[in-house]
Amino acid sequence: MPLPKSVKMVEVGPRDGLQNEPTPVAPAVKARLVDMLAEAGLTAIESGSFVSPKWVPQMAGTPEVLAAITRRPGVSYPVLVPNLKGLEAAEQAGGVDEIAVFGAASESFSQKNINCSIDESLARFAPVAERALANGWRVRGYVSCVLGCPYEGEIAPAKVAEVAQKLLAMGCYEISLGDTVGTGTPVKAQAMIEAVAQVVPVEKLAAHFHDTYGQALANILAVMEKGVAVVDSSVAGLGGCPYAKGASGNVASEDVLYMLDGMGIETGVDIDRLIAAGAYISGELGRPTGSKVARARGGCA
Ligand SMILES: CC(C)(COP(=O)([O-])OP(=O)([O-])OC[C@H]1O[C@@H](n2cnc3c(N)ncnc32)[C@H](O)[C@@H]1OP(=O)([O-])[O-])[C@@H](O)C(=O)NCCC(=O)NCCSC(=O)C[C@@](C)(O)CC(=O)[O-]
């Protein structure tokens, strides 16, 4: 399949990237980061989660973040919602027009991450999606552990396809496929996409790859060859998953953009402004950026 002419970059740094930080990051800092990412041209910026503050304390300030963002036309600011309690909190917070429900292709990961089985999670998500759609919101679906699980190892592509299909049937407009621990390699990534694309149109699939084993860019290119044209990434390579020990951040947004720019693939994102956003949050966190491109350009903290 020819490579896509344009790719939509979905920025997950303010949520996936920061959810694992041990020390609190002030809502004002998160909101400034979101605004800088929007100024760089990103049109989808995950901005928080309505999950239990006991499970993920770092996301407790999501209502304050949403209130502090300077909203730009054409930009969506999705938040993660695991259940009806989270949905109610999102409704109360105001300013939400897109949520993401998040399931897994691994039973063990589902239990560790959201304290229920895969089937139970899908049963919880259905009324959440129904009510969100009734609110006029868009719903995105995640499947974690699509190329391996920290507890179970190999995951069958057929299981990924089954969960993805159920999320689509629930009304998710897009299914983001998470290599949560970053163990995937390109040929496996392609095989997984081929399996999922049999039941979900490839235009509705997104790649959400962590870079723990340094495979993320290769995997992204491999799935683009299969028609995937939506890529999740995290500015400065922030992140990790609290329920996937050892997982490093998502692939760095700057590195994805550098690759796409170099291939003449349109994204609408400005690399200098993106590097500036990464430098800002790296400075706030007091550590060097995780983006190789930002380091090469001298944009590190
Ligand atoms: C899902 C639950 C809540 C189940 O947790 P639970 O303990 O089974 O929930 P529960 O319904 O039994 O309630 C227990 C307590 O939590 C409260 N509670 C219940 N729901 C909520 C809520 N929505 N917001 C706030 N509070 C909530 C509830 O009110 C109660 O409070 P208490 O009576 O003890 O004071 C919990 O397991 C949880 O919050 N997990 C967090 C999962 C998470 O955020 N993980 C990281 C995101 S996923 C990810 O990063 C992967 C992804 C998406 O990026 C893709 C990839 O890379 O693979």
Side-chain angles (χ1 to χ4, degrees), residues 15-16 19 50-56 80 82-83 85-86 102 113-115 124 142 144-145 178 180 208 210 241-243:
R15 192 280 304 173
D16 203 354
Q19 70 186 3
F50 287 94
V51 298
S52 162
K54 288 182 190 148
W55 285 63
V56 185
L80 260 58
N83 53 19
K85 189 173 171 74
F102 50 105
N113 192 39
I114 50 175
N115 205 24
R124 276 184 201 173
Y142 273 107
S144 283
C145 299
T180 315
H208 178 106
H210 289 251
C241 175
Y243 300 102

PDB file of all heavy atoms in Angstrom, residues 15-16 19 50-56 80 82-83 85-86 102 113-115 124 142 144-145 178 180 208 210 241-243, ligand 1:
ATOM      1  N   ARG A  15      -1.319  13.736  29.012  1.00  0.00           N
ATOM      2  CA  ARG A  15      -2.015  12.656  29.744  1.00  0.00           C
ATOM      3  C   ARG A  15      -1.094  11.439  29.914  1.00  0.00           C
ATOM      4  O   ARG A  15      -0.572  11.180  30.989  1.00  0.00           O
ATOM      5  CB  ARG A  15      -3.306  12.278  28.989  1.00  0.00           C
ATOM      6  CG  ARG A  15      -4.254  11.383  29.773  1.00  0.00           C
ATOM      7  CD  ARG A  15      -3.906   9.929  29.804  1.00  0.00           C
ATOM      8  NE  ARG A  15      -3.772   9.323  28.490  1.00  0.00           N
ATOM      9  CZ  ARG A  15      -3.331   8.087  28.306  1.00  0.00           C
ATOM     10  NH1 ARG A  15      -2.977   7.335  29.341  1.00  0.00           N
ATOM     11  NH2 ARG A  15      -3.205   7.597  27.086  1.00  0.00           N
ATOM     12  N   ASP A  16      -0.858  10.717  28.851  1.00  0.00           N
ATOM     13  CA  ASP A  16      -0.048   9.493  28.957  1.00  0.00           C
ATOM     14  C   ASP A  16       1.344   9.830  29.455  1.00  0.00           C
ATOM     15  O   ASP A  16       1.937   9.104  30.263  1.00  0.00           O
ATOM     16  CB  ASP A  16       0.027   8.823  27.573  1.00  0.00           C
ATOM     17  CG  ASP A  16       0.322   7.341  27.647  1.00  0.00           C
ATOM     18  OD1 ASP A  16       0.585   6.842  28.751  1.00  0.00           O
ATOM     19  OD2 ASP A  16       0.290   6.669  26.595  1.00  0.00           O
ATOM     20  N   GLN A  19       1.072  11.158  33.356  1.00  0.00           N
ATOM     21  CA  GLN A  19       0.316  10.401  34.361  1.00  0.00           C
ATOM     22  C   GLN A  19       1.221   9.611  35.312  1.00  0.00           C
ATOM     23  O   GLN A  19       0.826   9.273  36.419  1.00  0.00           O
ATOM     24  CB  GLN A  19      -0.677   9.447  33.696  1.00  0.00           C
ATOM     25  CG  GLN A  19      -0.036   8.274  32.981  1.00  0.00           C
ATOM     26  CD  GLN A  19      -1.037   7.416  32.212  1.00  0.00           C
ATOM     27  OE1 GLN A  19      -2.225   7.736  32.162  1.00  0.00           O
ATOM     28  NE2 GLN A  19      -0.574   6.332  31.625  1.00  0.00           N
ATOM     29  N   PHE A  50     -10.230  11.184  33.799  1.00  0.00           N
ATOM     30  CA  PHE A  50     -11.158  11.153  34.928  1.00  0.00           C
ATOM     31  C   PHE A  50     -11.166   9.735  35.479  1.00  0.00           C
ATOM     32  O   PHE A  50     -12.099   8.973  35.293  1.00  0.00           O
ATOM     33  CB  PHE A  50     -12.541  11.634  34.490  1.00  0.00           C
ATOM     34  CG  PHE A  50     -12.566  13.116  34.263  1.00  0.00           C
ATOM     35  CD1 PHE A  50     -12.365  13.652  33.006  1.00  0.00           C
ATOM     36  CD2 PHE A  50     -12.742  13.983  35.337  1.00  0.00           C
ATOM     37  CE1 PHE A  50     -12.355  15.024  32.806  1.00  0.00           C
ATOM     38  CE2 PHE A  50     -12.733  15.364  35.154  1.00  0.00           C
ATOM     39  CZ  PHE A  50     -12.538  15.886  33.874  1.00  0.00           C
ATOM     40  N   VAL A  51     -10.049   9.399  36.140  1.00  0.00           N
ATOM     41  CA  VAL A  51      -9.881   8.079  36.750  1.00  0.00           C
ATOM     42  C   VAL A  51      -9.757   8.275  38.262  1.00  0.00           C
ATOM     43  O   VAL A  51      -9.785   9.403  38.751  1.00  0.00           O
ATOM     44  CB  VAL A  51      -8.636   7.358  36.168  1.00  0.00           C
ATOM     45  CG1 VAL A  51      -8.801   7.131  34.671  1.00  0.00           C
ATOM     46  CG2 VAL A  51      -7.344   8.131  36.435  1.00  0.00           C
ATOM     47  N   SER A  52      -9.620   7.166  38.981  1.00  0.00           N
ATOM     48  CA  SER A  52      -9.529   7.283  40.432  1.00  0.00           C
ATOM     49  C   SER A  52      -8.232   7.988  40.825  1.00  0.00           C
ATOM     50  O   SER A  52      -7.147   7.569  40.416  1.00  0.00           O
ATOM     51  CB  SER A  52      -9.563   5.890  41.057  1.00  0.00           C
ATOM     52  OG  SER A  52      -9.074   5.964  42.375  1.00  0.00           O
ATOM     53  N   PRO A  53      -8.319   9.042  41.657  1.00  0.00           N
ATOM     54  CA  PRO A  53      -7.094   9.727  42.095  1.00  0.00           C
ATOM     55  C   PRO A  53      -6.226   8.840  42.976  1.00  0.00           C
ATOM     56  O   PRO A  53      -5.036   9.100  43.145  1.00  0.00           O
ATOM     57  CB  PRO A  53      -7.620  10.948  42.862  1.00  0.00           C
ATOM     58  CG  PRO A  53      -9.030  10.622  43.218  1.00  0.00           C
ATOM     59  CD  PRO A  53      -9.539   9.655  42.200  1.00  0.00           C
ATOM     60  N   LYS A  54      -6.851   7.760  43.539  1.00  0.00           N
ATOM     61  CA  LYS A  54      -6.026   6.830  44.333  1.00  0.00           C
ATOM     62  C   LYS A  54      -5.151   5.991  43.400  1.00  0.00           C
ATOM     63  O   LYS A  54      -4.049   5.625  43.740  1.00  0.00           O
ATOM     64  CB  LYS A  54      -6.929   5.911  45.163  1.00  0.00           C
ATOM     65  CG  LYS A  54      -7.589   6.633  46.321  1.00  0.00           C
ATOM     66  CD  LYS A  54      -8.425   5.687  47.154  1.00  0.00           C
ATOM     67  CE  LYS A  54      -9.266   6.480  48.141  1.00  0.00           C
ATOM     68  NZ  LYS A  54     -10.560   5.871  48.439  1.00  0.00           N
ATOM     69  N   TRP A  55      -5.670   5.681  42.242  1.00  0.00           N
ATOM     70  CA  TRP A  55      -4.916   4.862  41.293  1.00  0.00           C
ATOM     71  C   TRP A  55      -3.889   5.707  40.534  1.00  0.00           C
ATOM     72  O   TRP A  55      -2.760   5.268  40.331  1.00  0.00           O
ATOM     73  CB  TRP A  55      -5.865   4.181  40.296  1.00  0.00           C
ATOM     74  CG  TRP A  55      -6.627   3.020  40.866  1.00  0.00           C
ATOM     75  CD1 TRP A  55      -7.530   3.062  41.884  1.00  0.00           C
ATOM     76  CD2 TRP A  55      -6.537   1.642  40.464  1.00  0.00           C
ATOM     77  NE1 TRP A  55      -8.020   1.806  42.131  1.00  0.00           N
ATOM     78  CE2 TRP A  55      -7.435   0.910  41.274  1.00  0.00           C
ATOM     79  CE3 TRP A  55      -5.821   0.955  39.489  1.00  0.00           C
ATOM     80  CZ2 TRP A  55      -7.622  -0.467  41.148  1.00  0.00           C
ATOM     81  CZ3 TRP A  55      -6.003  -0.414  39.351  1.00  0.00           C
ATOM     82  CH2 TRP A  55      -6.882  -1.115  40.177  1.00  0.00           C
ATOM     83  N   VAL A  56      -4.291   6.874  40.079  1.00  0.00           N
ATOM     84  CA  VAL A  56      -3.383   7.734  39.281  1.00  0.00           C
ATOM     85  C   VAL A  56      -3.479   9.164  39.827  1.00  0.00           C
ATOM     86  O   VAL A  56      -4.183  10.018  39.281  1.00  0.00           O
ATOM     87  CB  VAL A  56      -3.743   7.684  37.779  1.00  0.00           C
ATOM     88  CG1 VAL A  56      -2.718   8.474  36.947  1.00  0.00           C
ATOM     89  CG2 VAL A  56      -3.793   6.249  37.255  1.00  0.00           C
ATOM     90  N   LEU A  80      -9.421  10.754  29.191  1.00  0.00           N
ATOM     91  CA  LEU A  80      -9.728   9.339  29.408  1.00  0.00           C
ATOM     92  C   LEU A  80     -10.841   9.187  30.432  1.00  0.00           C
ATOM     93  O   LEU A  80     -10.855   9.883  31.454  1.00  0.00           O
ATOM     94  CB  LEU A  80      -8.475   8.601  29.912  1.00  0.00           C
ATOM     95  CG  LEU A  80      -7.699   7.807  28.879  1.00  0.00           C
ATOM     96  CD1 LEU A  80      -7.248   8.687  27.732  1.00  0.00           C
ATOM     97  CD2 LEU A  80      -6.510   7.090  29.501  1.00  0.00           C
ATOM     98  N   PRO A  82     -12.936   5.885  32.369  1.00  0.00           N
ATOM     99  CA  PRO A  82     -13.036   4.424  32.466  1.00  0.00           C
ATOM    100  C   PRO A  82     -14.432   3.896  32.808  1.00  0.00           C
ATOM    101  O   PRO A  82     -14.687   2.702  32.655  1.00  0.00           O
ATOM    102  CB  PRO A  82     -12.096   4.092  33.630  1.00  0.00           C
ATOM    103  CG  PRO A  82     -12.211   5.283  34.534  1.00  0.00           C
ATOM    104  CD  PRO A  82     -12.502   6.479  33.657  1.00  0.00           C
ATOM    105  N   ASN A  83     -15.301   4.776  33.331  1.00  0.00           N
ATOM    106  CA  ASN A  83     -16.602   4.302  33.825  1.00  0.00           C
ATOM    107  C   ASN A  83     -17.577   5.484  33.931  1.00  0.00           C
ATOM    108  O   ASN A  83     -17.212   6.643  33.654  1.00  0.00           O
ATOM    109  CB  ASN A  83     -16.433   3.601  35.189  1.00  0.00           C
ATOM    110  CG  ASN A  83     -15.694   4.486  36.207  1.00  0.00           C
ATOM    111  OD1 ASN A  83     -15.614   5.702  36.033  1.00  0.00           O
ATOM    112  ND2 ASN A  83     -15.151   3.889  37.239  1.00  0.00           N
ATOM    113  N   LYS A  85     -18.797   6.914  36.520  1.00  0.00           N
ATOM    114  CA  LYS A  85     -18.371   7.924  37.503  1.00  0.00           C
ATOM    115  C   LYS A  85     -17.423   8.943  36.846  1.00  0.00           C
ATOM    116  O   LYS A  85     -17.547  10.154  37.067  1.00  0.00           O
ATOM    117  CB  LYS A  85     -17.675   7.240  38.687  1.00  0.00           C
ATOM    118  CG  LYS A  85     -17.405   8.184  39.838  1.00  0.00           C
ATOM    119  CD  LYS A  85     -16.877   7.449  41.044  1.00  0.00           C
ATOM    120  CE  LYS A  85     -16.406   8.422  42.106  1.00  0.00           C
ATOM    121  NZ  LYS A  85     -17.460   9.091  42.836  1.00  0.00           N
ATOM    122  N   GLY A  86     -16.524   8.431  36.043  1.00  0.00           N
ATOM    123  CA  GLY A  86     -15.603   9.315  35.321  1.00  0.00           C
ATOM    124  C   GLY A  86     -16.336  10.182  34.318  1.00  0.00           C
ATOM    125  O   GLY A  86     -16.007  11.359  34.132  1.00  0.00           O
ATOM    126  N   PHE A 102     -10.678   2.971  27.555  1.00  0.00           N
ATOM    127  CA  PHE A 102      -9.401   2.257  27.349  1.00  0.00           C
ATOM    128  C   PHE A 102      -9.477   0.833  27.867  1.00  0.00           C
ATOM    129  O   PHE A 102      -9.596   0.574  29.041  1.00  0.00           O
ATOM    130  CB  PHE A 102      -8.227   3.041  27.949  1.00  0.00           C
ATOM    131  CG  PHE A 102      -8.403   3.507  29.374  1.00  0.00           C
ATOM    132  CD1 PHE A 102      -7.738   2.870  30.407  1.00  0.00           C
ATOM    133  CD2 PHE A 102      -9.224   4.592  29.689  1.00  0.00           C
ATOM    134  CE1 PHE A 102      -7.866   3.305  31.732  1.00  0.00           C
ATOM    135  CE2 PHE A 102      -9.368   5.031  30.998  1.00  0.00           C
ATOM    136  CZ  PHE A 102      -8.693   4.381  32.015  1.00  0.00           C
ATOM    137  N   ASN A 113      -4.756  -2.690  35.390  1.00  0.00           N
ATOM    138  CA  ASN A 113      -4.937  -1.290  34.992  1.00  0.00           C
ATOM    139  C   ASN A 113      -6.282  -0.739  35.444  1.00  0.00           C
ATOM    140  O   ASN A 113      -6.362   0.373  35.953  1.00  0.00           O
ATOM    141  CB  ASN A 113      -4.807  -1.179  33.465  1.00  0.00           C
ATOM    142  CG  ASN A 113      -4.692   0.259  32.985  1.00  0.00           C
ATOM    143  OD1 ASN A 113      -4.033   1.087  33.619  1.00  0.00           O
ATOM    144  ND2 ASN A 113      -5.330   0.562  31.878  1.00  0.00           N
ATOM    145  N   ILE A 114      -7.340  -1.533  35.256  1.00  0.00           N
ATOM    146  CA  ILE A 114      -8.676  -0.995  35.575  1.00  0.00           C
ATOM    147  C   ILE A 114      -9.487  -1.943  36.455  1.00  0.00           C
ATOM    148  O   ILE A 114     -10.691  -1.770  36.623  1.00  0.00           O
ATOM    149  CB  ILE A 114      -9.458  -0.594  34.297  1.00  0.00           C
ATOM    150  CG1 ILE A 114      -9.467  -1.708  33.242  1.00  0.00           C
ATOM    151  CG2 ILE A 114      -8.885   0.687  33.710  1.00  0.00           C
ATOM    152  CD1 ILE A 114     -10.327  -1.383  32.019  1.00  0.00           C
ATOM    153  N   ASN A 115      -8.806  -2.948  37.015  1.00  0.00           N
ATOM    154  CA  ASN A 115      -9.395  -3.781  38.066  1.00  0.00           C
ATOM    155  C   ASN A 115     -10.625  -4.579  37.605  1.00  0.00           C
ATOM    156  O   ASN A 115     -11.571  -4.769  38.369  1.00  0.00           O
ATOM    157  CB  ASN A 115      -9.759  -2.882  39.269  1.00  0.00           C
ATOM    158  CG  ASN A 115      -9.802  -3.652  40.570  1.00  0.00           C
ATOM    159  OD1 ASN A 115      -9.156  -4.690  40.689  1.00  0.00           O
ATOM    160  ND2 ASN A 115     -10.565  -3.153  41.540  1.00  0.00           N
ATOM    161  N   ARG A 124     -18.664  -2.073  30.916  1.00  0.00           N
ATOM    162  CA  ARG A 124     -18.645  -0.746  31.553  1.00  0.00           C
ATOM    163  C   ARG A 124     -18.586   0.369  30.522  1.00  0.00           C
ATOM    164  O   ARG A 124     -19.163   1.436  30.713  1.00  0.00           O
ATOM    165  CB  ARG A 124     -17.395  -0.608  32.427  1.00  0.00           C
ATOM    166  CG  ARG A 124     -17.540  -1.187  33.789  1.00  0.00           C
ATOM    167  CD  ARG A 124     -16.267  -0.875  34.566  1.00  0.00           C
ATOM    168  NE  ARG A 124     -16.140  -1.804  35.671  1.00  0.00           N
ATOM    169  CZ  ARG A 124     -15.083  -1.886  36.450  1.00  0.00           C
ATOM    170  NH1 ARG A 124     -14.053  -1.089  36.230  1.00  0.00           N
ATOM    171  NH2 ARG A 124     -15.037  -2.725  37.447  1.00  0.00           N
ATOM    172  N   TYR A 142      -9.219   2.758  23.071  1.00  0.00           N
ATOM    173  CA  TYR A 142      -7.843   2.255  23.132  1.00  0.00           C
ATOM    174  C   TYR A 142      -7.857   0.749  23.343  1.00  0.00           C
ATOM    175  O   TYR A 142      -8.689   0.228  24.100  1.00  0.00           O
ATOM    176  CB  TYR A 142      -7.111   2.831  24.346  1.00  0.00           C
ATOM    177  CG  TYR A 142      -6.447   4.167  24.144  1.00  0.00           C
ATOM    178  CD1 TYR A 142      -6.983   5.316  24.717  1.00  0.00           C
ATOM    179  CD2 TYR A 142      -5.264   4.273  23.428  1.00  0.00           C
ATOM    180  CE1 TYR A 142      -6.359   6.546  24.570  1.00  0.00           C
ATOM    181  CE2 TYR A 142      -4.635   5.497  23.274  1.00  0.00           C
ATOM    182  CZ  TYR A 142      -5.182   6.623  23.847  1.00  0.00           C
ATOM    183  OH  TYR A 142      -4.556   7.833  23.694  1.00  0.00           O
ATOM    184  N   SER A 144      -4.878  -1.734  24.749  1.00  0.00           N
ATOM    185  CA  SER A 144      -3.496  -1.829  25.230  1.00  0.00           C
ATOM    186  C   SER A 144      -2.929  -3.214  24.967  1.00  0.00           C
ATOM    187  O   SER A 144      -3.671  -4.184  24.763  1.00  0.00           O
ATOM    188  CB  SER A 144      -3.442  -1.553  26.741  1.00  0.00           C
ATOM    189  OG  SER A 144      -3.553  -0.183  26.996  1.00  0.00           O
ATOM    190  N   CYS A 145      -1.623  -3.306  25.031  1.00  0.00           N
ATOM    191  CA  CYS A 145      -0.898  -4.590  24.935  1.00  0.00           C
ATOM    192  C   CYS A 145      -1.111  -5.281  23.598  1.00  0.00           C
ATOM    193  O   CYS A 145      -1.199  -6.509  23.532  1.00  0.00           O
ATOM    194  CB  CYS A 145      -1.303  -5.528  26.083  1.00  0.00           C
ATOM    195  SG  CYS A 145      -0.917  -4.865  27.705  1.00  0.00           S
ATOM    196  N   GLY A 178      -2.330   0.197  21.236  1.00  0.00           N
ATOM    197  CA  GLY A 178      -1.208   0.526  22.104  1.00  0.00           C
ATOM    198  C   GLY A 178      -0.209  -0.597  22.273  1.00  0.00           C
ATOM    199  O   GLY A 178      -0.538  -1.667  22.773  1.00  0.00           O
ATOM    200  N   THR A 180       1.954  -1.049  24.591  1.00  0.00           N
ATOM    201  CA  THR A 180       2.116  -0.468  25.920  1.00  0.00           C
ATOM    202  C   THR A 180       3.535  -0.615  26.458  1.00  0.00           C
ATOM    203  O   THR A 180       4.049   0.276  27.126  1.00  0.00           O
ATOM    204  CB  THR A 180       1.126  -1.158  26.875  1.00  0.00           C
ATOM    205  OG1 THR A 180      -0.137  -1.246  26.211  1.00  0.00           O
ATOM    206  CG2 THR A 180       0.985  -0.435  28.181  1.00  0.00           C
ATOM    207  N   HIS A 208      -0.223   3.635  18.560  1.00  0.00           N
ATOM    208  CA  HIS A 208       0.139   4.259  19.847  1.00  0.00           C
ATOM    209  C   HIS A 208       1.301   3.432  20.415  1.00  0.00           C
ATOM    210  O   HIS A 208       1.096   2.482  21.165  1.00  0.00           O
ATOM    211  CB  HIS A 208      -1.091   4.220  20.768  1.00  0.00           C
ATOM    212  CG  HIS A 208      -0.871   4.779  22.138  1.00  0.00           C
ATOM    213  ND1 HIS A 208      -1.365   6.000  22.543  1.00  0.00           N
ATOM    214  CD2 HIS A 208      -0.223   4.286  23.215  1.00  0.00           C
ATOM    215  CE1 HIS A 208      -1.039   6.226  23.799  1.00  0.00           C
ATOM    216  NE2 HIS A 208      -0.346   5.195  24.232  1.00  0.00           N
ATOM    217  N   HIS A 210       4.909   2.803  22.317  1.00  0.00           N
ATOM    218  CA  HIS A 210       5.936   3.223  23.281  1.00  0.00           C
ATOM    219  C   HIS A 210       7.309   2.802  22.747  1.00  0.00           C
ATOM    220  O   HIS A 210       7.423   1.873  21.947  1.00  0.00           O
ATOM    221  CB  HIS A 210       5.643   2.616  24.658  1.00  0.00           C
ATOM    222  CG  HIS A 210       4.451   3.240  25.323  1.00  0.00           C
ATOM    223  ND1 HIS A 210       4.561   4.067  26.420  1.00  0.00           N
ATOM    224  CD2 HIS A 210       3.134   3.183  25.031  1.00  0.00           C
ATOM    225  CE1 HIS A 210       3.358   4.484  26.773  1.00  0.00           C
ATOM    226  NE2 HIS A 210       2.465   3.964  25.952  1.00  0.00           N
ATOM    227  N   CYS A 241       3.752   3.760  31.642  1.00  0.00           N
ATOM    228  CA  CYS A 241       2.415   3.410  32.124  1.00  0.00           C
ATOM    229  C   CYS A 241       2.544   2.946  33.566  1.00  0.00           C
ATOM    230  O   CYS A 241       3.377   2.089  33.867  1.00  0.00           O
ATOM    231  CB  CYS A 241       1.789   2.319  31.261  1.00  0.00           C
ATOM    232  SG  CYS A 241       0.199   1.761  31.907  1.00  0.00           S
ATOM    233  N   PRO A 242       1.701   3.481  34.488  1.00  0.00           N
ATOM    234  CA  PRO A 242       1.819   3.075  35.880  1.00  0.00           C
ATOM    235  C   PRO A 242       1.591   1.575  36.087  1.00  0.00           C
ATOM    236  O   PRO A 242       2.041   1.021  37.075  1.00  0.00           O
ATOM    237  CB  PRO A 242       0.733   3.895  36.597  1.00  0.00           C
ATOM    238  CG  PRO A 242      -0.037   4.625  35.563  1.00  0.00           C
ATOM    239  CD  PRO A 242       0.700   4.522  34.265  1.00  0.00           C
ATOM    240  N   TYR A 243       0.909   0.933  35.144  1.00  0.00           N
ATOM    241  CA  TYR A 243       0.618  -0.505  35.311  1.00  0.00           C
ATOM    242  C   TYR A 243       1.392  -1.361  34.324  1.00  0.00           C
ATOM    243  O   TYR A 243       1.010  -2.493  34.031  1.00  0.00           O
ATOM    244  CB  TYR A 243      -0.897  -0.739  35.265  1.00  0.00           C
ATOM    245  CG  TYR A 243      -1.530   0.054  36.379  1.00  0.00           C
ATOM    246  CD1 TYR A 243      -2.175   1.254  36.130  1.00  0.00           C
ATOM    247  CD2 TYR A 243      -1.357  -0.334  37.698  1.00  0.00           C
ATOM    248  CE1 TYR A 243      -2.658   2.038  37.165  1.00  0.00           C
ATOM    249  CE2 TYR A 243      -1.823   0.439  38.744  1.00  0.00           C
ATOM    250  CZ  TYR A 243      -2.470   1.627  38.471  1.00  0.00           C
ATOM    251  OH  TYR A 243      -2.923   2.395  39.508  1.00  0.00           O
TER     252      TYR A 243
HETATM  253  C1  LIG B   1     -11.093   2.143  36.690  1.00  0.00           C
HETATM  254  C2  LIG B   1     -10.945   2.280  38.188  1.00  0.00           C
HETATM  255  C3  LIG B   1     -11.627   3.547  38.687  1.00  0.00           C
HETATM  256  C4  LIG B   1     -11.599   1.069  38.842  1.00  0.00           C
HETATM  257  O1  LIG B   1     -11.208   1.006  40.202  1.00  0.00           O
HETATM  258  P1  LIG B   1     -12.056   0.201  41.267  1.00  0.00           P
HETATM  259  O2  LIG B   1     -11.351   0.314  42.576  1.00  0.00           O
HETATM  260  O3  LIG B   1     -12.353  -1.169  40.735  1.00  0.00           O
HETATM  261  O4  LIG B   1     -13.399   1.063  41.251  1.00  0.00           O
HETATM  262  P2  LIG B   1     -14.694   1.014  42.105  1.00  0.00           P
HETATM  263  O5  LIG B   1     -15.811   1.309  41.194  1.00  0.00           O
HETATM  264  O6  LIG B   1     -14.744  -0.239  42.961  1.00  0.00           O
HETATM  265  O7  LIG B   1     -14.503   2.271  43.097  1.00  0.00           O
HETATM  266  C5  LIG B   1     -13.461   2.319  44.071  1.00  0.00           C
HETATM  267  C6  LIG B   1     -13.209   3.763  44.466  1.00  0.00           C
HETATM  268  O8  LIG B   1     -12.757   4.507  43.333  1.00  0.00           O
HETATM  269  C7  LIG B   1     -13.678   5.582  43.068  1.00  0.00           C
HETATM  270  N1  LIG B   1     -13.806   5.727  41.623  1.00  0.00           N
HETATM  271  C8  LIG B   1     -14.259   4.829  40.737  1.00  0.00           C
HETATM  272  N2  LIG B   1     -14.225   5.331  39.505  1.00  0.00           N
HETATM  273  C9  LIG B   1     -13.742   6.585  39.612  1.00  0.00           C
HETATM  274  C10 LIG B   1     -13.480   7.599  38.661  1.00  0.00           C
HETATM  275  N3  LIG B   1     -13.707   7.420  37.351  1.00  0.00           N
HETATM  276  N4  LIG B   1     -12.982   8.762  39.092  1.00  0.00           N
HETATM  277  C11 LIG B   1     -12.725   8.963  40.408  1.00  0.00           C
HETATM  278  N5  LIG B   1     -12.965   8.021  41.352  1.00  0.00           N
HETATM  279  C12 LIG B   1     -13.460   6.856  40.943  1.00  0.00           C
HETATM  280  C13 LIG B   1     -14.954   5.153  43.732  1.00  0.00           C
HETATM  281  O9  LIG B   1     -15.753   6.285  44.009  1.00  0.00           O
HETATM  282  C14 LIG B   1     -14.460   4.479  44.961  1.00  0.00           C
HETATM  283  O10 LIG B   1     -14.017   5.481  45.867  1.00  0.00           O
HETATM  284  P3  LIG B   1     -14.008   5.220  47.462  1.00  0.00           P
HETATM  285  O11 LIG B   1     -15.431   4.845  47.795  1.00  0.00           O
HETATM  286  O12 LIG B   1     -13.020   4.107  47.709  1.00  0.00           O
HETATM  287  O13 LIG B   1     -13.541   6.537  48.005  1.00  0.00           O
HETATM  288  C15 LIG B   1      -9.462   2.294  38.597  1.00  0.00           C
HETATM  289  O14 LIG B   1      -8.907   1.039  38.305  1.00  0.00           O
HETATM  290  C16 LIG B   1      -8.659   3.344  37.917  1.00  0.00           C
HETATM  291  O15 LIG B   1      -8.900   4.542  38.072  1.00  0.00           O
HETATM  292  N6  LIG B   1      -7.621   2.954  37.175  1.00  0.00           N
HETATM  293  C17 LIG B   1      -6.743   3.911  36.508  1.00  0.00           C
HETATM  294  C18 LIG B   1      -6.337   3.375  35.193  1.00  0.00           C
HETATM  295  C19 LIG B   1      -5.468   4.373  34.457  1.00  0.00           C
HETATM  296  O16 LIG B   1      -5.722   5.554  34.422  1.00  0.00           O
HETATM  297  N7  LIG B   1      -4.403   3.827  33.831  1.00  0.00           N
HETATM  298  C20 LIG B   1      -3.552   4.603  32.999  1.00  0.00           C
HETATM  299  C21 LIG B   1      -4.250   4.933  31.705  1.00  0.00           C
HETATM  300  S1  LIG B   1      -4.293   3.572  30.545  1.00  0.00           S
HETATM  301  C22 LIG B   1      -2.847   3.728  29.667  1.00  0.00           C
HETATM  302  O17 LIG B   1      -2.029   4.531  30.007  1.00  0.00           O
HETATM  303  C23 LIG B   1      -2.672   2.927  28.408  1.00  0.00           C
HETATM  304  C24 LIG B   1      -2.939   3.746  27.153  1.00  0.00           C
HETATM  305  C25 LIG B   1      -4.376   4.229  27.085  1.00  0.00           C
HETATM  306  O18 LIG B   1      -2.116   4.897  27.121  1.00  0.00           O
HETATM  307  C26 LIG B   1      -2.664   2.884  25.894  1.00  0.00           C
HETATM  308  C27 LIG B   1      -1.351   2.119  25.950  1.00  0.00           C
HETATM  309  O19 LIG B   1      -0.276   2.709  26.008  1.00  0.00           O
HETATM  310  O20 LIG B   1      -1.443   0.900  25.973  1.00  0.00           O
END
